[in-house]
Amino acid sequence: MTARFPALLMARRNLSRNRLRSALAALGIVIGVLAIATLGIFGNVLQTTATSELGGIGNQVIVSPNADAGSETLSPRELREVRRVAADRGTVVPLITDGAVARGSGESTVVQLYGTDDPGALFEARDGTLPTRHRQGAIVGSAVADRLGVEVGGAVEIEGTRYRVVAVLAEGEDVTPVGPDEAVVLPEDEFAQDRYDRVVIGADSGRAAAAVAAEIRDRLNVRTERVSVFELSAVLERIGEFFALLNAFLVGLGSISLLVAGVSIFNVMLMSTAERRQEIGVLRAVGVRRADVLRTLLVEAVLLGVAGGLLGVLASVLLALGLVAYVDGIGLAALPTLANAAYLVGAFAFGVLVSLVSGAYPAWKAARERPVESLRG
Amino acid sequence: MTGPDPADGAARPERGATAATASGARPVVELRGVTKTYESGGGTVVALSEVDFAVAPGEFVAVVGPSGSGKSTMLNVLGLLDAPSEGDRYLAGRDVTGLTDAERTDARKDAVGFVFQDYHLIPTLTALENVTLPTLFDRDGAADDRARDLLDRVGLGDRLDHTPDRLSGGQKQRVAIARALINRPGVLLADEPTGNLDRATGTTILEEFRRICAAGVAVVAVTHDDLVTEYADRTVELVDGALR
């Protein structure tokens, strides 16, 4: 290898001449790369964890009639429009909503009533199974079930009608306007009204949700504000932007330390080329070209950067693993992402680049000096 | 100037290209009307003044003169390390006055070998690596063998892997001589080659120079040392930048 890359041989020997000084110069790069990569990865992990906490709500679009426009329900035409817009971009679940008092086992509580024939599209069951076509019985939210002390197979009484409890809903982790915990889900036929007053669209992605919401507004709210469209993808986008800003700030902070490391490499290269002035003059005198001298000195600086960068990357991987090991709620799965790999590679590349740039002037200055001057010492 | 070298007389001088040397052969290096001036402080310093100088192949020339007489400048101009202010210089019959820096570097590598008073070996490289230094960036596969051979010839065949700090002054100077010869130059330029050596060691170096000359390589040595002039074919004296 060194036979084919003589610059590498010379550079390595020169760096080993003053090991402590070389190590300290590389240490600066280690710290800089470590700072950038670690802060970047931590920011990423924070963002990944936070957005997965927020879950799927970013994909939800909720359409309800605009009460100010005098409408309490959605017309069949409006529902058709919503279905058309959302087609191929997500599932559409129309709901009838109401409030009521539920009784069971001698207790009573205020509940949110949802009327739908397809509860599986919106909710998950904790006990029992959700019917694919909801025809009879009540599905009770976990908080309601706990307060009333009812279980699957028990009964709740709503507005004077008794319903057998067919399932209890799982606790909702997400923040959503259609929360399962305080709900009782009944078949649509149990409601006096036959028109829906809410449509929940579960879009395939946050982007699809935003597009669907925009299109529904465009189509239905042309002349008057007939429906209000609620979606969280915009909010999530804001949150994402915040994290991106935070990350940029953290990485910027890390970059400053790498620049400081660059100054130290600059200094070391300037010193070591000044000390070796005569040697460089000899190289030039015996017929080594200016470009080869320059290359050798640049390789020296780059070697410092590569060594420091590799150590920095290694250290930040270890730190990230430590974060996973010691902080609950952060999974190992949050680490091997493309973005994290990009931070590692980017920090390493930046470290090498800073070394190269820092070494450039001292190398150029040394290679440029006339051998007659440098030989004089 | 001393008399002609009896071993050399066959070659005829080429008209126009270069001037005839004392021996009549085409010179390996030549200066014609070379003047070198420096701007220094308030005025102009004349380091070399109208110097005409030629060295024949295999000739050993000693250049003597007081300090500041321009000896080192003359060596640097001969070795293409410094450019003359006026006049022309020739290397192996080729006019090298107007070469670019890169061309000068290549010409230096091919045609000139340097030996310095302070040896100027690279401390991180072994004796063998120091000798191959001029060819380091050339992908010259045979350089290693030549270097071994040269070190063998100067009596350091068993010191190939020694770094300079493990060599004596005389050994270092012999490594430097081997380095100067690695590209088979026509001339070896030596700046006070015995300046840091005791008399006995200096003698071995000068004997080395004689062997080199016998092989057809010219040696120009700038010196204060009378011992050098004893070994030289001829001695020229520089006074205030002018040859006597």
Side-chain angles (χ1 to χ4, degrees):
Chain A
M1 173 123 160
T2 45
R4 299 194 47 197
F5 299 101
L8 200 60
L9 166 89
M10 296 286 287
R12 243 187 33 212
R13 296 275 176 87
N14 283 329
L15 289 176
S16 59
R17 199 184 298 208
N18 195 335
R19 286 172 199 276
L20 181 62
R21 186 165 70 184
S22 303
L24 288 176
L27 182 65
I29 295 291
V30 173
I31 293 170
V33 169
L34 178 69
I36 291 187
T38 309
L39 291 175
I41 288 175
F42 279 19
N44 256 345
V45 168
L46 206 62
Q47 181 171 13
T48 315
T49 309
T51 45
S52 77
E53 290 276 294
L54 293 173
I57 57 164
N59 297 357
Q60 264 187 1
V61 181
I62 292 160
V63 183
S64 41
N66 182 12
D68 296 340
S71 166
E72 297 288 333
T73 59
L74 293 166
S75 70
R77 198 187 72 78
E78 284 163 348
L79 185 59
R80 264 202 315 280
E81 283 288 339
V82 170
R83 282 189 193 279
R84 194 176 301 150
V85 169
D88 299 331
R89 285 193 280 199
T91 57
V92 176
V93 183
L95 286 179
I96 302 166
T97 65
D98 206 348
V101 175
R103 289 178 218 286
S105 309
E107 304 281 334
S108 68
T109 183
V110 177
V111 298
Q112 171 73 48
L113 286 184
Y114 292 123
T116 176
D117 290 349
D118 184 14
L122 283 180
F123 306 110
E124 283 177 16
R126 186 179 74 188
D127 302 316
T129 47
L130 297 179
T132 42
R133 289 183 66 79
H134 192 192
R135 284 292 171 218
Q136 56 186 353
I139 298 162
V140 182
S142 57
V144 177
D146 291 347
R147 275 206 294 277
L148 297 182
V150 295
E151 292 175 357
V152 174
V156 289
E157 186 189 319
I158 294 162
E159 308 272 313
T161 311
R162 280 178 69 84
Y163 297 94
R164 208 172 59 86
V165 175
V166 295
V168 175
L169 296 174
E171 269 177 51
E173 288 179 7
D174 299 347
V175 189
T176 165
V178 190
D181 297 352
E182 302 290 338
V184 171
V185 184
L186 296 175
E188 288 174 14
D189 295 344
E190 299 300 319
F191 291 82
Q193 74 186 65
D194 58 352
R195 285 195 175 183
Y196 299 103
D197 53 19
R198 190 168 300 183
V199 179
V200 179
I201 302 159
D204 299 334
S205 66
R207 182 171 300 199
V212 166
E215 206 170 317
I216 289 173
R217 284 193 194 100
D218 280 355
R219 291 213 186 183
L220 296 180
N221 294 346
V222 181
R223 268 164 298 175
T224 54
E225 187 95 5
R226 285 157 63 193
V227 295
S228 63
V229 180
F230 175 85
E231 48 121 4
L232 273 174
S233 66
V235 177
L236 278 191
E237 207 164 287
R238 292 274 164 73
I239 295 174
E241 277 168 14
F242 166 75
F243 274 113
L245 193 70
L246 184 72
N247 248 18
F249 176 73
L250 290 178
V251 170
L253 221 56
S255 305
I256 292 174
S257 65
L258 200 49
L259 290 182
V260 173
V263 173
S264 126
I265 286 200
F266 184 91
N267 186 32
V268 162
M269 288 297 295
L270 214 53
M271 271 177 3
S272 81
T273 50
E275 284 166 12
R276 281 182 284 153
R277 201 163 159 240
Q278 279 194 329
E279 278 175 41
I280 292 165
V282 171
L283 285 178
R284 299 278 292 116
V286 301
V288 174
R289 286 183 173 200
R290 200 177 268 178
D292 287 326
V293 171
L294 184 74
R295 193 173 306 143
T296 303
L297 295 174
L298 283 180
V299 167
E300 253 177 67
V302 168
L303 272 184
L304 288 177
V306 168
L310 285 178
L311 282 177
V313 163
L314 188 71
S316 60
V317 167
L318 291 179
L319 264 180
L321 288 175
L323 182 78
V324 169
Y326 287 103
V327 181
D328 291 339
I330 296 178
L332 195 59
L335 285 189
T337 64
L338 204 62
N340 287 343
Y343 272 117
L344 287 179
V345 172
F348 175 76
F350 192 31
V352 174
L353 182 74
V354 163
S355 313
L356 180 68
V357 170
S358 306
Y361 174 73
W364 175 79
K365 183 168 174 268
R368 194 172 144 274
E369 190 172 31
R370 294 172 59 228
V372 126
E373 311 278 344
S374 38
L375 277 174
R376 210 169 281 153
Chain B
M1 292 196 186
T2 61
D5 184 346
D8 196 330
R12 300 295 310 158
E14 284 179 36
R15 289 169 60 88
T18 51
T21 58
S23 65
R26 192 173 78 175
V28 282
V29 278
E30 186 184 359
L31 301 180
R32 275 197 220 166
V34 164
T35 295
K36 176 70 184 178
T37 54
Y38 294 107
E39 295 303 322
S40 169
T44 305
V45 177
V46 180
L48 292 176
S49 166
E50 294 286 333
V51 170
D52 292 307
F53 180 67
V55 182
E59 192 183 15
F60 185 171
V61 183
V63 181
V64 298
S67 292
S69 60
K71 298 192 302 292
S72 291
T73 303
M74 183 170 140
L75 209 64
N76 289 337
V77 171
L78 277 172
L80 310 186
L81 286 177
D82 215 346
S85 310
E86 275 170 53
D88 299 323
R89 57 181 165 180
Y90 297 82
L91 203 56
R94 174 181 172 215
D95 186 349
V96 289
T97 312
L99 296 187
T100 66
D101 179 78
E103 289 167 337
R104 278 206 307 276
T105 304
D106 287 348
R108 204 156 57 220
K109 185 172 72 189
D110 294 336
V112 184
F114 281 99
V115 174
F116 305 97
Q117 178 174 1
D118 299 328
Y119 328 122
H120 282 329
L121 300 180
I122 306 295
T124 53
L125 301 181
T126 65
L128 187 65
E129 287 164 341
N130 262 296
V131 174
T132 54
L133 187 66
T135 67
L136 193 62
F137 293 90
D138 292 344
R139 310 212 182 289
D140 181 347
D144 247 32
D145 291 336
R146 289 209 306 278
R148 278 170 211 280
D149 191 42
L150 282 166
L151 281 169
D152 221 26
R153 269 161 51 193
V154 296
L156 292 174
D158 55 345
R159 299 276 195 280
L160 299 181
D161 295 326
H162 284 41
T163 43
D165 55 348
R166 295 169 62 201
L167 298 172
S168 69
Q171 288 171 331
K172 282 189 233 188
Q173 196 59 300
R174 278 182 277 157
V175 172
I177 291 170
R179 176 178 68 190
L181 295 174
I182 187 72
N183 280 328
R184 302 190 188 93
V187 63
L188 200 146
L189 303 177
D191 195 352
E192 301 281 7
T194 58
N196 283 358
L197 302 174
D198 59 51
R199 192 173 171 86
T201 315
T203 306
T204 63
I205 295 299
L206 291 167
E207 280 166 355
E208 200 60 60
F209 282 169
R210 287 283 11 152
R211 276 195 288 278
I212 291 164
C213 291
V217 179
V219 175
V220 178
V222 159
T223 188
H224 280 111
D225 187 352
D226 291 339
L227 192 63
V228 177
T229 59
E230 282 174 33
Y231 277 83
D233 293 319
R234 65 185 164 110
T235 299
V236 297
E237 193 183 2
L238 260 180
V239 177
D240 293 335
L243 276 184
R244 289 271 175 87

